[in-house]
Amino acid sequence: MNEAHQEDTTSFQEQHQVVQKNIAYYDLKWRSVENPSTKSTWNWLAFLFSTFWLAYRKMYKPFFIIAGLQLLWAVPFYFIDLTAWLDLFFYGIISIIVGFFGNRWYFNHTNTVLKQASALPDSVQESYIQTKGGTHVGIMLGLHALLFALFFALDFGLSFIPTETNIKNVVRINGEADTLEAYTDNPQWNYIKQDGRHHVVEFTGYDYTEKEDVRIVFYVYFDKYMYEWNQIFINGKKLNEEDSMDYELYIEENSW
């Protein structure tokens, strides 16, 4: 065994004190590359659980960075109509990044803990490593409870800003809107204008079962976070009051 390899072995043995749980896995991953501080190996748990894995392994800095990015990412959805696929793409990229770099980050994290411990008196080094290393389910759950609370506060605050997106969401985030979208091709929600104390929002789509174009005008009262059906047009023809009520009732009865 050469001298360089002996140094690597000693280093890993020291890091085992920080890892504490599942030592064999990380030892194998780190030994599979020449320099685990700069070379990456794949971690499926980090990929699948991302911020949960980071918090579980007490890597707070990357946890808060990614959590902050997630909070910032949510903001544009209250101001611009963005497809949900972008959300899936963003979180997919986050998962891939954490899965790919996770073992490297963890290796450097253990190095940092050992370096910090070495600067302390000998009598407290072991207890410091035990505290900073290992895993903690309670911390993982607590940090995510905080993260979910921040998401809730963000949603509560931003959803009451009278943007066109938020105004349309008063209508389209409900069971009736889901039914309208399910029964039509190419469903579209358009903000038309503000008319006095209410906003005019229009739904359009093609009813593939009845083979007819549908256009519905809603009045949205954003200050009360409520809406009402106003006019219904089928193939460009406005329905009378009785037919409009029947159509609204039909949608309502088929909604969750």
Side-chain angles (χ1 to χ4, degrees):
M1 182 179 294
N2 59 45
E3 185 178 347
H5 188 71
Q6 286 178 334
E7 292 176 357
D8 289 344
T9 301
T10 302
S11 174
F12 284 8
Q13 288 174 344
E14 291 175 349
Q15 289 176 342
H16 293 170
Q17 301 175 58
V18 182
V19 176
Q20 297 178 24
K21 290 187 178 182
N22 207 10
I23 291 173
Y25 172 82
Y26 293 101
D27 194 75
L28 177 64
K29 287 291 185 177
W30 293 336
R31 290 180 188 279
S32 67
V33 293
E34 183 179 351
N35 186 354
S37 67
T38 59
K39 301 293 184 180
S40 299
T41 54
W42 186 257
N43 186 319
W44 278 107
L45 278 178
F47 168 74
L48 293 173
F49 299 103
S50 299
T51 53
F52 285 91
W53 178 79
L54 291 170
Y56 179 67
R57 283 288 167 181
K58 301 183 181 179
M59 288 189 281
Y60 305 127
K61 183 177 180 179
F63 169 84
F64 283 113
I65 289 174
I66 291 176
L69 290 174
Q70 291 175 344
L71 288 168
L72 288 174
W73 173 255
V75 173
F77 286 82
Y78 295 89
F79 297 88
I80 308 170
D81 285 345
L82 298 174
T83 175
W85 288 107
L86 283 177
D87 216 19
L88 294 176
F89 177 77
F90 171 78
Y91 281 96
I93 292 296
I94 291 293
S95 295
I96 291 171
I97 289 173
V98 179
F100 184 73
F101 291 102
N103 289 333
R104 185 202 300 190
W105 293 346
Y106 193 45
F107 181 85
N108 292 324
H109 169 73
T110 59
N111 276 341
T112 299
V113 172
L114 290 171
K115 183 178 179 180
Q116 292 170 343
S118 66
L120 299 173
D122 293 343
S123 60
V124 297
Q125 287 185 13
E126 184 177 351
S127 59
Y128 181 86
I129 291 173
Q130 289 293 320
T131 301
K132 295 295 183 178
T135 60
H136 203 294
V137 174
I139 290 175
M140 177 190 71
L141 296 176
L143 286 176
H144 280 84
L146 173 63
L147 181 58
F148 293 149
L150 290 174
F151 270 113
F152 178 81
L154 183 75
D155 177 71
F156 183 81
L158 294 181
S159 63
F160 287 100
I161 298 175
T163 64
E164 291 186 7
T165 295
N166 284 338
I167 292 167
K168 287 187 288 185
N169 283 345
V170 174
V171 185
R172 64 184 175 185
I173 302 182
N174 64 76
E176 291 181 343
D178 291 339
T179 302
L180 286 171
E181 292 180 0
Y183 286 4
T184 57
D185 289 327
N186 193 32
Q188 299 289 329
W189 295 92
N190 298 302
Y191 178 87
I192 306 302
K193 63 178 181 178
Q194 182 173 1
D195 188 4
R197 61 184 295 265
H198 66 263
H199 300 265
V200 181
V201 173
E202 183 180 84
F203 170 83
T204 59
Y206 179 75
D207 189 331
Y208 51 83
T209 57
E210 300 294 333
K211 295 182 173 54
E212 55 192 20
D213 291 313
V214 178
R215 181 166 70 92
I216 305 172
V217 177
F218 295 92
Y219 283 177
V220 176
Y221 301 89
F222 190 73
D223 57 335
K224 296 183 177 180
Y225 215 76
M226 61 177 291
Y227 68 92
E228 62 181 20
W229 295 59
N230 181 256
Q231 297 174 329
I232 301 174
F233 298 83
I234 302 297
N235 290 329
K237 182 180 179 181
K238 180 182 177 181
L239 299 185
N240 59 41
E241 184 176 351
E242 182 179 353
D243 290 339
S244 294
M245 292 183 63
D246 289 342
Y247 189 91
E248 181 181 350
L249 183 61
Y250 166 73
I251 296 298
E252 182 181 345
E253 288 177 344
N254 287 276
S255 302
W256 288 95

